[in-house]
Amino acid sequence: MDSLVLRMLAFSVLILALAIWGTVLAIRRVSRKQPFGVSGWGVVVFWCLVGLSVFSGPRKLLNQTADQQAASDASRDQIKKTMEAGVAAKHGGELPKTMSPDDLKIAMAVGAKAADQQGKSSAAEKLKSMKTRPDPADVKYSPDVVQMAVKQQLRDPDSATFGPMSLYSDRKMNDYYTPVVCGTINSKNDFGGYSGNKAFVFLIPLTAVMIEGSPNQQQAQLFVKTYNQLCAGAHD
């Protein structure tokens, strides 16, 4: 069973136990003709709060699950509506006042599917936009992110020294404009000596790095092809 469902059940049991305990105390005071008192009114307020949580609970749970699935406010609202429709379909078209564990499972399954479809749609839109040459002013990158990505592929990341980095967005790879950061890196090898400057390519759309000099022949050839396509020579 999902951990969120287990937490819901545990919290519900605790609330019910406290409610029963408070109600028993209030009934005993009334039966003994004792003043209702602050504790009695506390029980009344408590039950009112429980009532509010019962009526608002389903939508709060759907909101929380949608937040976990969505990356933006627009996608969050769409996922929430899809989840509500999925749960309501089980109950004759109306959202229930209380959410059962089965309802929550349905909501999470529907939300996950909707998020996956949105991801595919977003990827398709991104590819479509890459058919058009981007405005250089709209292409940005973080040198820290690039350096961190390059260092993750080094044997001795702490020894890394970077040369100048250049941002290019005027060339295509596989018919798509692919903004890149091109630069050089020097770091220590297995023998403790510096191996010399090596070129690298950071592909911004993929947040991926390729470094010159791979021992794998296929990767080495792919680097040369990518570097020549996106970095080498004069740029517009």
Side-chain angles (χ1 to χ4, degrees), residues 29-146:
R29 292 182 67 89
V30 172
S31 65
R32 295 175 181 176
K33 297 182 179 181
Q34 295 176 341
F36 205 52
V38 176
S39 61
W41 285 111
V43 172
V44 173
V45 172
F46 179 81
W47 275 112
C48 289
L49 293 175
V50 170
L52 287 174
S53 67
V54 166
F55 283 101
S56 63
R59 295 191 182 277
K60 286 183 178 179
L61 288 171
L62 292 176
N63 287 342
Q64 291 172 359
T65 308
D67 286 341
Q68 295 173 2
Q69 300 284 3
S72 66
D73 290 339
S75 60
R76 172 189 176 279
D77 292 340
Q78 185 60 44
I79 290 175
K80 177 188 170 187
K81 290 179 181 178
T82 304
M83 291 163 60
E84 288 179 349
V87 175
K90 180 188 173 186
H91 298 275
E94 294 186 1
L95 193 66
K97 294 180 179 179
T98 58
M99 288 277 285
S100 68
D102 287 340
D103 291 334
L104 185 58
K105 285 183 179 180
I106 292 174
M108 294 181 71
V110 172
K113 184 176 181 180
D116 181 62
Q117 291 174 344
Q118 282 191 355
K120 292 178 180 178
S121 175
S122 177
E125 291 176 0
K126 188 172 183 178
L127 285 175
K128 183 178 179 180
S129 69
M130 290 172 65
K131 287 286 189 179
T132 304
R133 179 173 174 174
D135 187 333
D138 295 333
V139 181
K140 298 178 175 60
Y141 78 99
S142 167
D144 291 337
V145 172
V146 174

Side-chain angles (χ1 to χ4, degrees), residues 6 15-16 61 68 101 144 151 161 163 167 175 187 202 224 235:
L6 291 175
I15 291 295
L16 181 60
L61 288 171
Q68 295 173 2
D144 291 337
K151 286 181 177 181
T161 57
L167 171 65
D175 293 328
S187 63
F202 179 83
V224 172
H235 290 260

